[in-house]
Amino acid sequence: MTGPRRSRSIGAPRPAYAVGVLVLACLLLAGCSNAKTSFQFQWPLFFQSIFGPDNQIKAGLVLTVTISIAAQAIGVVLGIFAALGKMSKVLPIRWFANVYVWIFRGTPLIVQLVFFYFGLGVAKIYGWPDLTIGPLTIEGAIQAGIFALGLNEGAYMAEIVRAGILAIDPGQMEAARALGMTPGKAMRRIVLPQAARVIIPPLGNEFNNMLKTTSLLFVIGVVELYSTFNIKQGEDYRPFELYLACAVWFLLLTTIWGFIQSWIEGRLARGTPGAASSSGPSLRARMLGLRNASGVGH
Amino acid sequence: MNQAEDHNLLEAIGGAPLAETANVVEVTDLHKWFGRNEVLKGVSMTVRQREVVVVCGPSGSGKTTFIRCVNHLEKIQQGRVMVNGHLIGYREENGRLVSDKEANIARQRREIGMVFQRFNLFPHKTALGNIIEAPVQVRGIPEDEAIEMGRKLLTRVGLAHKEDAYPAQLSGGQQQRVAIARALAMRPAVMLFDEPTSALDPEMIGEVLEVMKELAREGMTMIVVSHEMGFAREVADRIVMMDDGLIIEEGTPEHFFTNPQQERTKSFLSKIL
């Protein structure tokens, strides 16, 4: 086996390596333009979309990242409540949480999106008016998108959070309660902080997904990153160059996130030596598709 | 006997905690089922202030379940448990016992310190962090006061130099000493020990027993589930033998070791002594 290469075969490569591969791929594709085809590649359009993005692309990028963060935040909060709900002793709460997870994991996100935006709107249940907070106006479609993505994400996070909580030794809850903590306080102060360490790697994976899933919002007319490029290619019919550039932008976002994620995990592992061993690099690598950061090993 | 100031555990928490009643623990006719399996078949026990009771018996005799019922980590099906004059886990309504609110149960547990076989320290908190967590979060003591008390306690269990260590960086014996300090920091009226040394390597048992002996000498009321007969002989006021969900014999160490009445006790002692 080929030593260092092999250990990085799982996920996102090092920056230099990544750039190298991309340049190589571009050159190869550029070579294709010399072949006997009637199609002429317009590489300047591609490179300009990457290295000199216009304001539309920039706005799309900002929107994609903002929506992802907002929806993921909603998803995490809902996921925690749904996970606690699924484990509740009270039957109606358990029932409610289970039904929520069942519905949102069991139906396509795109259907949820159009239902919440068009369905609720046309039925005059909620028309998604624009929302103005200070200097900022949020379009109704963006609100609906964040809402639907967040609800959908919460259902997936519920299982992740639940698994994280169940991974914690029941002795921790007992010790906390023996010290006089109420179940809620024991959960907040003792169990959840420990579960967070188990949850972070799959949470990172979810956010990676979220960044890409925002592209579905084009169906309700949100001009995020994908939609921006979609409109552009409609204008000058250059789908090859523009969709390729779009893909590179998404790859860039997820790659940057990959580095942020491994940095966060490294910090978590440093802060608490006890827990670091329980979620070793192999688990992280598997769940996240991240390289084995050199700082993780003990 | 080392009664030097730097070993005095109860002084660190501001003197012996006040028990409000002469009998700190009163258990009456306790029955406990796990499904169809009756593990406690009517256990009664009274522990007076400053008394040290050691509970022994073969595995499966119900002794761990018994001690877990005292602070309501296990629900009970019949009988009653009173600690410091309070009914634990239940309240009386029209002569019947109904489950108490979680908040009330939590309040009652402040009076009861518990030390677990597997320590159960909080791995995301330092030794000092483990000790101050409940005083600050549950009793509402100002953090600087709690830290001062926590440092005193750590000094007196011999771990002043480990205050910033996380549990994973401590040996089993050190973890258990922190766990004892953590329970003491709540100023409980009674301390429960659930086989505190049985998860320890043999060379670490002594350091934990020393802390427990010191605590016993200072007058802490204690119920100790343990097979450490040396400890029992030295500090117990009373030894209780359990078998098959019942107390089958109890008495002073002298009685227990020199003149046991029950055949079951004799054979048990012959195996572990």
Side-chain angles (χ1 to χ4, degrees):
Chain A
M1 308 293 179
T2 50
R5 246 328 235 301
R6 198 171 145 263
S7 69
R8 312 204 176 274
S9 62
I10 297 171
R14 292 178 200 225
Y17 184 71
V19 171
V21 168
L22 285 176
V23 168
L24 205 67
C26 291
L27 288 175
L28 271 173
L29 286 166
C32 294
S33 64
N34 294 330
K36 289 180 202 153
T37 65
S38 56
F39 187 77
Q40 286 300 307
F41 292 89
Q42 285 191 11
W43 291 108
L45 179 61
F46 169 77
F47 286 112
Q48 201 193 339
S49 305
I50 304 288
F51 297 105
D54 57 21
N55 285 339
Q56 289 159 301
I57 295 174
K58 283 180 192 161
L61 264 173
V62 169
L63 199 54
T64 285
V65 172
T66 314
I67 290 174
S68 298
I69 292 172
Q72 190 66 49
I74 292 172
V76 169
V77 173
L78 283 178
I80 291 172
F81 281 107
L84 295 175
K86 276 171 89 81
M87 293 187 285
S88 169
K89 274 189 257 175
V90 188
L91 187 67
I93 295 178
R94 215 162 57 224
W95 183 85
F96 186 81
N98 280 323
V99 167
Y100 161 63
V101 172
W102 173 61
I103 289 174
F104 281 89
R105 293 213 317 176
T107 55
L109 173 59
I110 198 159
V111 175
Q112 296 165 19
L113 278 169
V114 291
F115 176 78
F116 281 117
Y117 186 58
F118 299 120
L120 294 190
V122 171
K124 304 247 187 299
I125 294 169
Y126 188 68
W128 301 103
D130 291 358
L131 193 71
T132 305
I133 308 166
L136 208 73
T137 298
I138 307 167
E139 272 173 50
I142 294 175
Q143 297 167 42
I146 291 173
F147 177 78
L149 281 174
L151 271 176
N152 181 269
E153 180 58 22
Y156 287 90
M157 283 307 299
E159 287 304 319
I160 291 169
V161 173
R162 197 173 77 100
I165 291 171
L166 289 178
I168 305 305
D169 174 12
Q172 291 291 310
M173 183 52 112
E174 282 189 354
R177 299 187 63 185
L179 284 164
M181 291 191 197
T182 56
K185 185 163 261 181
M187 186 55 81
R188 276 198 312 281
R189 299 277 316 172
I190 304 301
V191 178
L192 282 179
Q194 295 181 55
R197 239 176 282 115
V198 186
I199 292 166
I200 291 284
L203 170 64
N205 207 18
E206 286 296 301
F207 188 66
N208 172 299
N209 262 326
M210 180 64 83
L211 283 166
K212 297 172 294 183
T213 309
T214 50
S215 57
L216 282 181
L217 296 195
F218 92 98
V219 297
I220 57 170
V222 175
V223 189
E224 42 64 62
L225 190 56
Y226 163 70
S227 194
T228 307
F229 279 97
N230 200 31
I231 291 165
K232 279 183 179 295
Q233 74 85 25
E235 286 163 357
D236 48 13
Y237 196 60
R238 278 282 155 195
F240 184 92
E241 293 84 351
L242 288 167
Y243 284 145
L244 192 64
C246 180
V248 169
W249 273 117
F250 274 109
L251 191 59
L252 201 67
L253 289 181
T254 53
T255 305
I256 291 170
W257 169 246
F259 291 124
I260 295 173
Q261 171 75 6
S262 61
W263 176 77
I264 294 172
E265 283 178 39
R267 277 190 64 98
L268 275 173
R270 258 210 307 283
T272 46
S277 55
S278 67
S279 56
S282 66
L283 176 73
R284 274 202 192 90
R286 252 185 298 124
M287 293 179 115
L288 239 197
L290 276 179
R291 70 198 176 94
N292 292 348
S294 53
V296 171
H298 282 265
Chain B
M1 233 181 278
N2 192 346
Q3 287 282 12
E5 196 267 342
D6 68 331
H7 277 270
N8 197 323
L9 287 154
L10 294 188
E11 194 272 337
I13 56 172
L18 283 176
E20 289 159 26
T21 50
N23 292 333
V24 182
V25 178
E26 266 181 79
V27 178
T28 325
D29 191 33
L30 174 59
H31 290 258
K32 165 77 189 171
W33 279 268
F34 285 120
R36 287 188 178 172
N37 183 21
E38 188 175 16
V39 286
L40 295 176
K41 302 174 176 173
V43 176
S44 298
M45 182 190 288
T46 301
V47 183
R48 296 185 310 276
Q49 269 187 50
R50 304 175 68 88
E51 198 177 17
V52 176
V53 176
V54 171
V55 181
C56 63
S59 68
S61 61
K63 55 196 191 303
T64 285
T65 306
F66 167 75
I67 205 168
R68 287 168 59 85
C69 287
V70 174
N71 69 351
H72 201 62
L73 283 178
E74 302 287 351
K75 278 196 158 70
I76 64 175
Q77 275 80 39
Q78 196 182 316
R80 55 169 60 203
V81 178
M82 306 273 290
V83 175
N84 220 7
H86 304 289
L87 193 59
I88 300 297
Y90 300 87
R91 69 202 142 84
E92 221 158 356
E93 261 176 24
N94 308 325
R96 288 176 50 222
L97 294 184
V98 293
S99 283
D100 210 341
K101 289 196 207 93
E102 291 289 354
N104 286 340
I105 298 172
R107 194 170 308 120
Q108 292 156 356
R109 285 199 184 111
R110 298 177 188 183
E111 314 287 314
I112 310 169
M114 177 96 172
V115 175
F116 297 87
Q117 184 177 354
R118 302 208 155 270
F119 334 131
N120 294 355
L121 289 182
F122 307 135
H124 59 308
K125 295 190 178 289
T126 61
L128 186 62
N130 265 275
I131 294 173
I132 67 169
E133 175 69 14
V136 173
Q137 292 296 325
V138 177
R139 283 227 191 264
I141 293 171
E143 195 165 317
D144 49 348
E145 258 177 56
I147 288 173
E148 193 189 332
M149 172 179 68
R151 289 199 171 123
K152 271 189 193 169
L153 277 168
L154 275 175
T155 306
R156 283 155 205 205
V157 296
L159 292 171
H161 58 299
K162 293 288 189 187
E163 80 170 54
D164 292 324
Y166 286 92
Q169 298 165 323
L170 299 172
S171 72
Q174 291 171 332
Q175 288 190 57
Q176 194 62 300
R177 283 185 278 158
V178 173
I180 294 172
R182 176 176 73 173
L184 278 176
M186 286 297 282
R187 307 197 69 216
V190 56
M191 287 278 285
L192 311 177
F193 293 83
D194 181 14
E195 306 205 30
T197 56
S198 32
L200 293 174
D201 290 338
E203 73 267 26
M204 292 170 183
I205 291 174
E207 65 192 54
V208 172
L209 288 181
E210 271 314 309
V211 172
M212 291 168 60
K213 284 177 194 169
E214 178 58 32
L215 206 50
R217 284 186 208 113
E218 290 174 23
M220 174 55 86
T221 310
M222 294 161 65
I223 303 178
V224 183
V225 171
S226 178
H227 291 157
E228 294 293 334
M229 287 302 130
F231 170 82
R233 195 192 294 264
E234 196 173 329
V235 298
D237 296 297
R238 192 150 44 104
I239 301 178
V240 170
M241 169 81 188
M242 283 185 72
D243 187 37
D244 198 24
L246 286 167
I247 292 177
I248 58 166
E249 185 158 10
E250 61 180 299
T252 61
E254 297 78 61
H255 159 85
F256 203 79
F257 291 114
T258 58
N259 190 22
Q261 300 299 303
Q262 300 286 330
E263 277 309 313
R264 195 71 192 81
T265 313
K266 285 177 199 166
S267 79
F268 176 73
L269 286 174
S270 73
K271 279 177 198 139
I272 65 164
L273 282 181

